[in-house]
Each structure stands twice: as structure tokens, then as C-alpha cells.
Amino acid sequence: MPVEAAEGYGVNISENTTVKTIKFLTNSPELELFPVWTADGNYILYTVKNNESGALNSYRMKADGSEAVRTGIGEGNLIGFNDLNPNGTELIVTKSDGSQSDLYRIDMNSGIATPITNDPQKSEGWGAWCRLGLKIIHTQELPGSSSQLWIVDRDGSNNTRLGTSENIGTGKDWYPLGLRVIYSANNSKEKPDLWTIEWYGTNQTQLTDTPYGEWNPAFSPDGKQIVYVSDEGGSPELWLRDIQGNYRVKLTENLGILDAYPKWSPDGSKIVFTGHSSGNSSDIAVIELASSADIVPSPKITNVEIEPLSTIFEKEVANISVTVKNEGKNSSEGYISVSFPNGERIERVEGTGGNIKTYAVGDLIQGKTGEISVQYPSVELLQYQWNTQQEETINITVKPNSGAEKIVFLIRASLKNDIAGTYERDPLISEDIDQEGFNVYNYSINVSKSSLKVIIEPQAIETEAKWKITAGPDTEWHPSNYTINNLTAGNYIIQFSEISDWKKPDDVAVTVNGDSVNKGIYTENPSSGSSSGGGDSGGGIVTSLESSRNIDAKETASRYINSGLHVKFDFPMSATCIMNLEFDPKKTFKRTAATVEMLKEKSAQVPQLPPGKVYKNVNIQVGNAGTLLSENIENGSIGFKVEKPWIRENIDKKSEIRLWRYNQTSWNKLEVKKIGEDDQYSYFEAKTPGFSSFVITAYTREENTSEEMKIEQKDPEDTSSLKETYRNSSTNEKKDNKPLSVGADNGKGENGKKQESGGKIKSVIVISLPLLALLIYLGAKKRV
């Protein structure tokens, strides 16, 4: 049956549940003192007091007490070993200098001693390393004054007092996370108590306030327990308590001494201390402990998942998943708590536990000191009978506040200690505390506001032209491709700068919600006059015949065109599937713009689609309508790309990639050859006599009679081309006993419904009658 101790001091648990064995490692008439573990836990450093000279000599032995050897480390005016740094390379010792004492660092490889403190007016010593090996807490005392707690850098700089405590004990330690330190102090009391303080001097807290003395404390490596010396039973003995004060255990009986100096092994399974046995006044002993998880429940937050991982946009939601595992004894109940101090809106909550509750602002909730009114939203999972190794998970969907830069959420877990009637918690110590007064882990997700990028075309003037928004966080003029970040989602007006001889785009109203890319296309001012080169007007203004609703992406480039000089238009923004256009001009033109429109559906400029499964519909216009007809160029080509996943899904041994061009009356197949590939795309090139509407398809050779359509060499304005087209059409009719259907795709029409044969006949009439009339006319003329 547990025995209640002094109020606020925790339940006294029998050592039988905690201590496995106690073993003395030394047994000599000399005094063995100040044991320190090596960093790997394989050895123990300690001192032996010479009975004749009274000097301390340095020794090392294995953790089982074997192979004890004298090392000589730090000898000479040595008062005691204090602490070894985390990587085991430097030992802090206290040395005497007459009536004063100072801290020294001993290099474990060379044995060289370097003073850390060296003020002849003060006594300083009994230091403890921080977990990073950069700072040291220690005791400082002026003659005639009480000792105080101080902190100093490894090199002796920045020696600063911590807190207001006085009459500081020699033993002290750092919390494993390095946030705070533990020490003992009498202050105005007759006997010392245990205290903690943040390493930067805040949150000085008294852990114990009893009629007994507690001193020489040390944190366990996991930060959950504290070993210390206390005279609670009438004489100094080693005691163990959890950090929250829920329980305490007496570890030794008639073995302790005033200067026991307990130290945890690096793995937390053992405690080395100085005790007395067999009539000797001081020997080195080791306690082997049962795991704290064998005594009490042990909540552990094992996983926190955030999706998206680190950043979301304002209008998106974040999904948070928290998993907790009981790594200790069974518990009758446990909790997972997640709260949102910035007041984000909780959209959805679900979990594996038996009960989940959402607390809104103004609700009542149980805090550390009693019932409180909720100040910001929180969610709680409650699970009854939470057994050893059992995991529970809570999932929360939350939406960021408008204008917020982060979603901040605080999490903690607790399991009921059924022995003490209190709760074990994770975390035990942290820098943050929630509205209920408990330590929490602090997580955050960045909230990215919207961004706006503007691309100015054509490329020839993109270095001259500028753009800006009329209101917002950044209203400066910017060049093409500049991005304004951290925009609040909403409506903005884009303005463009004036450029000589160019007509700037009208102001553009845009709605920004996430990342937005907009374009401003400058057109050459018709009133600016003709080119001094004497060539034709090439068409700086490109007017689209396509509805803006059908344009998926668009890119424009411009060039001067001179007769006899090869021309290439590149589209570096990769906004469409077209990479470049090339041709040899037969005439000289003024600056000419080339525009590629990648469409969502069939172009409005064509009556039907060509055969095959469509990859992309594209309009390509070079110059004003009619400027660069086929008779004005030669050796034309188009570079385009197709996504590999689409190819894998739609191309097999019986099919191929085709590029079709519409020549005002019919679709013509272009010569296509593959020119390369990378991880994402396959790249192709096609010869073309001109530029108009194009379709990239996956075409199966057995699909329909359109396979017989010849490769286009000339525009249909050429009469001989028309004759050849008719001859091919007539041949197909004879071979298949079916008319050629322009735009047919597996027997389906534009609306996707299967066409009857009459529909195909109508197509033939539309195409064939003008051809027949022309041939009849030509034949009649010949007979005249």
C-alpha cells in the first residue's frame, strides 16, 4: 500500500519495485570519491584520497569494478572530479589555490589543465557541463558571503550569475534538452531544497519544500527522473523521484554518505555513487535500476505528421496527425491534446480513441490549477484503459487564419499513474506552456500568401517594358518574369509602362488566390511608320481568332525577318507544347510576332478534328493574318514535345505520334521524326509548308481510311495539289467503297456521338463538289 509523504512531495514507493541490485566496486581503507562515467558508459573515473598525504589521486576502472588503474589526470591541488563533457574529451575538476578554489578543464588525451575561472578574490568550483559542451554551471563564493549559482562559457568568458538562490550545494546538473539546470540551495532555510532555473536566468522554480534536506541532484538521461541525496529517513541516503513529483523511491538503506554524488550512466540503467560498507567510510558503488516504464505509465509522442509538410496556401487546409504510445505500465486513462493558440478554424477531427472532444473559445476545460475558460480552440482524445505498447492517433484538419504567416499548434500527451493518482506527461519540460498550464511541444506550418508573376512579350522588349500592381505590399515597377510574393488573396490591377513605338497592354484585372502567372503582350503601334529596311509589314500585332475561354496557354516571340536569312522563333517559357518554329523567308518583313496558342478543345478555326486520339490542339500564327502564307516561306519546321506518360498510355507498336495541319479545307499529315527525349518528354520535329491550326495525335494505322491522306507538300491554293487530293480521295472510295470523311475519329463526330453513314456522305459532298466543279471547269476549258 503506498504511503503518502509530506504534502506536494509524491507517493513513497518501495525500492523493491525500482532497484535490481546494488554492487560496491571498491573496498579499500582509503576514501574513494567523486565518481564520473565516461561518455560510452564503459568506465568510471574517480579519486582516491591518500591516507598519508591527504592528496587526491586519479583512477579509472571498468564499469564492473575491474582493471582499476591510476591515470594521474588532474592531480595536484585536486579537490574533486566534477563532470565529463558529452563527448568525453574534457573533464571539469575543482582545484585549490591556497584558501580559494577554481574550475579547470582537463584534456583527457594530453592531461593538460586549463583554468576556466581564475579570480583570486573568489572561490569557484563544482561545475557541470551543458549538453552541448559549451557552457558550465558552477558555484561561486566571495569571502564572508553565501555561495551563488553562476554560468560561464567553456573558455571562461561571460561568467554570469543565475537566479537569486544562495547557499548553493556542490552537486548540480543540466536537463537533457539543455533548457534548464537543477541544483540545491538553503536560502534562508536550515536544510537545502531542490531548485530548477532556465540557463538564461528565468523561471526559477522550487521543486521540493519539505522539512528534510535534499541535495546533489542529477537528471536521468531521458529527463523523467531525478536522483538526489536526502536525510528524509534520518541519515543521508539516495532517493529517486519523477520530475513531476508524483512519486519518490528510497534507493539505499544505511549505505549513503553526505557526499554521495550520484551520477547516471549514459544509458540511464545505472547510478554510480559514493557510499559506505564493511566499515569503510567511502567506496564506489553502482545501483542497477528497473526501467521507469516498469513502474509507471510512460506516454511518448512517437509521430507527428503534417500534410502539406511545411507550407500551405491561405485557402488550403492542413492535416495534422499525432500518435502517442504507452511505453510503460498499463494506465486506466490517457489523453492527447492539440491546441491552436492563434485561433485557427478546426474543420474536421477523427481518431482511434474512445472519445474525442473539440473545445471552442468560452468552453470550460480542466486546467492544471482547476477549471478554466478556453481562450483558443483545442482538441482532446480520451482513451480509457491504455495498455502497455498501445498506440492511439488523433487526426485534425485545420484552416489558417486570413493573413496569417503560420499555423501554430501545441501538443502534449498524458497517462494516468494509477499508483499515485496523478498523470505522467510528455513533454515533462519545455519552453512552451498551453492555456491549461502544461508543458507542450510547439509545432508550426508556414502559410504562404499568394504570389503574382507577370511575363511580358514579345521577348524583344521584355527588358524595356515594366509592370506593377496599383495596390498591395509592392507597387514598384518591375521587369518581365518578376514575382511579387506575400500577396493577400484578392483582386489586383496590373499596369504596364509606355514604350516608344509600341502599344502597351490595357490594365488587367486579376484575381490572385495561390500562385498566379499573367502575361502582358505589347503590340507594335501601327502609327509608328514602316520599317526603314523597305520590307513589308510583318505583323507586330497578332490578333487571335480563338475565344479566350478556349486558350489553355499562350506564348509569343518576335523577330526581324530578312529575306534569305534563316529564322527561328524559340519559346523559352515552355508555356505550350511547341518549342520552336523555323523557316527560310522569301521576303523581308518588319518585326514579326509568332504566337502559339495551346487550346483546351478543338480550335474554332477548324470544322472537325483529324483521326487519332488528341494530345493537344494548337494554333500557330506568324505575323498578321495572311502575312506569312506558304508562298512567303520555305523549309518550314515545328519543334514540339509530348509527355512520356501520355505516350506510354496511348502509343503501341501499331500507332505513332502524328502532327496534323489544317490547310483551310482539309487536314494534312506532316512528316514527323523523333529528335530526342529526357525524363519527362519525347521531342519531335515536323516539316510544314505554313502555319495555321495543328493537332498532335496518337494515330493507329488501322483506325480508318484517313491513313491514305498524303503528306502535305503544298497549300491547296495550288491547283495541282487539289487534283492530287481529289485523286487520293477517289482511290479511297474505290478501295473501301466508303467516302473519305474529314475529321472522322473512329466514326465519331465532333460531339463525341457515333455518326451514321449519311453524315460521312455529307462530308464528301462538302469536300468533293468544289473539287469536281473545278475539274469540270478545267476540262471544259481544255476542249475549247
Side-chain angles (χ1 to χ4, degrees):
M1 177 71 76
V3 178
E4 293 293 335
E7 183 178 355
Y9 196 45
V11 174
N12 188 349
I13 299 176
S14 169
E15 69 273 14
N16 293 334
T17 63
T18 307
V19 177
K20 288 185 177 180
T21 62
I22 299 178
K23 178 182 178 181
F24 276 87
L25 305 182
T26 64
N27 183 16
S28 76
E30 295 177 308
L31 299 178
E32 286 94 8
L33 299 164
F34 312 118
V36 176
W37 293 92
T38 57
D40 58 11
N42 293 329
Y43 292 88
I44 297 170
L45 309 177
Y46 63 103
T47 65
V48 177
K49 187 174 184 179
N50 188 297
N51 287 338
E52 294 181 3
S53 66
L56 294 184
N57 299 324
S58 302
Y59 280 77
R60 184 189 69 187
M61 62 180 167
K62 281 193 170 181
D64 61 3
S66 65
E67 300 182 16
V69 294
R70 184 176 175 182
T71 63
I73 291 289
E75 291 182 0
N77 300 321
L78 181 62
I79 296 177
F81 287 171
N82 299 169
D83 195 18
L84 193 66
N85 69 348
N87 60 16
T89 59
E90 291 184 322
L91 176 69
I92 302 173
V93 303
T94 302
K95 285 175 169 284
S96 67
D97 182 12
S99 59
Q100 305 298 108
S101 64
D102 283 300
L103 278 177
Y104 282 76
R105 282 186 292 112
I106 309 296
D107 186 293
M108 295 299 291
N109 292 320
S110 66
I112 296 174
T114 303
I116 299 172
T117 62
N118 188 19
D119 189 335
Q121 303 301 317
K122 302 173 184 176
S123 284
E124 298 183 273
W126 307 110
W129 286 102
C130 77
R131 297 304 188 228
L132 296 177
L134 301 176
K135 292 183 178 290
I136 301 162
I137 51 169
H138 65 286
T139 303
Q140 183 185 106
E141 184 177 352
L142 288 169
S145 300
S146 300
S147 58
Q148 301 168 345
L149 185 67
W150 285 65
I151 185 170
V152 65
D153 288 350
R154 172 183 170 277
D155 61 3
S157 61
N158 300 317
N159 204 5
T160 307
R161 184 180 180 185
L162 284 184
T164 60
S165 294
E166 296 186 338
N167 298 311
I168 303 298
T170 53
K172 51 189 74 69
D173 196 18
W174 288 75
Y175 185 68
L177 295 179
L179 300 175
R180 63 180 68 179
V181 299
I182 189 169
Y183 62 96
S184 64
N186 287 46
N187 289 329
S188 59
K189 292 181 64 176
E190 180 182 350
K191 293 188 176 184
D193 290 305
L194 301 183
W195 293 74
T196 61
I197 190 171
E198 306 290 347
W199 70 269
Y200 37 83
T202 59
N203 293 330
Q204 182 173 300
T205 305
Q206 186 173 358
L207 288 186
T208 63
D209 185 10
T210 71
Y212 322 115
E214 295 94 17
W215 65 94
N216 289 355
F219 282 116
S220 62
D222 62 7
K224 294 182 178 181
Q225 296 175 303
I226 303 165
V227 64
Y228 60 99
V229 183
S230 175
D231 61 2
E232 181 179 343
S235 62
E237 299 290 350
L238 264 62
W239 288 73
L240 182 73
R241 58 164 275 163
D242 71 319
I243 194 172
Q244 298 176 97
N246 294 332
Y247 66 88
R248 71 194 192 287
V249 184
K250 187 179 182 181
L251 299 179
T252 62
E253 190 68 48
N254 299 321
L255 298 178
I257 63 173
L258 188 67
D259 295 326
Y261 291 105
K263 297 282 187 180
W264 291 85
S265 63
D267 65 2
S269 66
K270 301 179 180 69
I271 297 171
V272 67
F273 69 102
T274 303
H276 66 81
S277 70
S278 304
N280 296 324
S281 58
S282 179
D283 286 303
I284 306 300
V286 168
I287 302 173
E288 185 178 1
L289 299 170
S291 170
S292 63
D294 295 333
I295 305 170
V296 296
S298 180
K300 178 68 175 178
I301 297 173
T302 57
N303 191 40
V304 178
E305 291 185 359
I306 303 170
E307 212 290 316
L309 184 60
S310 60
T311 303
I312 65 170
F313 287 107
E314 274 189 323
K315 299 299 183 181
E316 293 180 326
V317 295
N319 297 302
I320 301 166
S321 178
V322 180
T323 299
V324 175
K325 184 178 183 180
N326 180 4
E327 297 184 343
K329 286 284 190 181
N330 293 350
S331 174
S332 61
E333 65 181 42
Y335 297 85
I336 305 174
S337 175
V338 184
S339 56
F340 299 88
N342 292 340
E344 287 84 1
R345 190 172 76 196
I346 298 171
E347 300 276 316
R348 181 180 61 88
V349 183
E350 63 181 17
T352 60
N355 296 277
I356 295 177
K357 185 171 183 180
T358 300
Y359 293 90
V361 175
D363 290 346
L364 295 179
I365 193 171
Q366 190 66 33
K368 189 173 184 179
T369 58
E371 202 170 52
I372 64 168
S373 177
V374 171
Q375 302 299 310
Y376 48 80
S378 69
V379 178
E380 191 173 78
L381 177 149
L382 165 62
Q383 173 64 34
Y384 291 109
Q385 198 51 48
W386 199 323
N387 296 327
T388 300
Q389 301 303 308
Q390 181 176 331
E391 286 187 336
E392 300 294 343
T393 299
I394 187 169
N395 301 307
I396 305 167
T397 300
V398 63
K399 191 171 185 178
N401 295 323
S402 178
E405 295 182 356
K406 290 177 181 290
I407 293 176
V408 176
F409 61 100
L410 311 175
I411 64 175
R412 58 179 168 84
S414 56
L415 291 171
K416 188 173 183 179
N417 180 337
D418 294 317
I419 297 175
T422 55
Y423 287 86
E424 305 299 320
R425 303 186 185 277
D426 183 22
L428 295 170
I429 295 178
S430 69
E431 290 185 309
D432 298 286
I433 294 176
D434 65 10
Q435 61 188 336
E436 292 150 270
F438 298 108
N439 292 101
V440 290
Y441 294 113
N442 187 320
Y443 287 81
S444 64
I445 308 167
N446 292 324
V447 178
S448 175
K449 294 188 176 180
S450 301
S451 67
L452 173 62
K453 177 180 179 179
V454 175
I455 300 169
I456 294 175
E457 296 177 346
Q459 291 175 299
I461 62 159
E462 66 179 9
T463 58
E464 304 174 55
K466 299 289 186 291
W467 68 276
K468 70 175 183 178
I469 54 175
T470 57
D474 183 349
T475 56
E476 300 296 320
W477 289 101
H478 297 295
S480 177
N481 288 295
Y482 185 86
T483 300
I484 298 179
N485 294 308
N486 295 319
L487 289 174
T488 301
N491 298 319
Y492 295 87
I493 302 295
I494 303 174
Q495 291 184 341
F496 298 90
S497 63
E498 298 281 355
I499 301 179
S500 177
D501 294 333
W502 289 84
K503 183 178 183 299
K504 71 181 182 71
D506 294 335
D507 291 356
V508 178
V510 296
T511 299
V512 178
N513 182 14
D515 287 338
S516 176
V517 178
N518 284 267
K519 291 190 178 182
I521 300 176
Y522 282 74
T523 53
E524 198 164 12
N525 195 329
S527 63
S528 61
S530 62
S531 168
S532 59
D536 294 336
S537 172
I541 302 174
V542 177
T543 303
S544 176
L545 300 178
E546 202 71 44
S547 167
S548 61
R549 290 190 296 273
N550 193 33
I551 298 176
D552 186 35
K554 185 175 182 178
E555 190 166 355
T556 299
S558 69
R559 296 286 183 273
Y560 283 102
I561 296 178
N562 295 302
S563 176
L565 296 179
H566 186 73
V567 174
K568 183 178 182 180
F569 289 89
D570 286 313
F571 302 98
M573 298 305 298
S574 298
T576 74
C577 59
I578 304 299
M579 300 183 298
N580 55 67
L581 311 175
E582 295 187 62
F583 57 85
D584 293 321
K586 296 179 180 179
K587 298 174 67 175
T588 296
F589 295 90
K590 206 172 181 179
R591 183 188 293 278
T592 300
T595 298
V596 177
E597 296 172 339
M598 191 165 70
L599 308 178
K600 299 176 183 177
E601 304 291 343
K602 178 183 72 68
S603 172
Q605 302 176 47
V606 302
Q608 290 177 313
L609 290 173
K613 185 171 183 179
V614 174
Y615 173 64
K616 298 292 180 184
N617 293 278
V618 179
N619 289 337
I620 301 177
Q621 186 173 336
V622 181
N624 293 326
T627 300
L628 293 183
L629 296 176
S630 299
E631 65 265 20
N632 294 329
I633 69 169
E634 58 186 359
N635 302 320
S637 68
I638 299 172
F640 65 97
K641 61 185 179 181
V642 180
E643 294 165 298
K644 279 191 168 181
W646 192 89
I647 292 176
R648 286 193 293 268
E649 184 178 342
N650 296 283
I651 299 295
D652 56 26
K653 292 181 180 180
K654 294 184 178 181
S655 57
E656 61 188 10
I657 291 291
R658 282 194 176 179
L659 181 65
W660 300 85
R661 176 183 178 242
Y662 189 71
N663 66 2
Q664 298 182 355
T665 61
S666 64
W667 286 105
N668 298 117
K669 183 184 74 172
L670 304 182
E671 290 184 35
V672 174
K673 68 176 180 178
K674 184 177 178 180
I675 59 174
E677 63 180 298
D678 57 25
D679 292 341
Q680 292 181 285
Y681 297 96
S682 290
Y683 299 93
F684 301 88
E685 184 179 78
K687 303 294 184 182
T688 182
F691 303 103
S692 55
S693 294
F694 296 83
V695 176
I696 303 169
T697 69
Y699 182 79
T700 301
R701 296 178 183 87
E702 301 173 355
E703 208 160 344
N704 59 40
T705 56
S706 295
E707 164 64 15
E708 301 300 323
M709 297 175 74
K710 71 181 184 66
I711 297 174
E712 180 185 15
Q713 300 294 337
K714 294 183 179 181
D715 266 8
E717 292 91 338
D718 191 321
T719 305
S720 61
S721 175
L722 292 175
K723 292 178 181 178
E724 183 65 26
T725 302
Y726 174 73
R727 279 197 295 272
N728 287 343
S729 299
S730 302
T731 302
N732 285 332
E733 289 185 48
K734 291 176 182 178
K735 288 170 65 177
D736 299 327
N737 198 28
K738 292 180 181 179
L740 173 65
S741 174
V742 175
D745 185 1
N746 286 326
K748 293 182 180 180
E750 184 182 343
N751 60 4
K753 296 180 180 179
K754 189 169 182 179
Q755 292 181 333
E756 301 299 329
S757 58
K760 292 185 178 181
I761 293 171
K762 289 180 181 178
S763 295
V764 171
I765 293 172
V766 170
I767 294 172
S768 300
L769 287 179
L771 295 175
L772 287 171
L774 179 60
L775 289 173
I776 292 169
Y777 168 75
L778 289 173
K781 187 175 181 182
K782 212 170 190 178
R783 288 193 297 271
V784 172

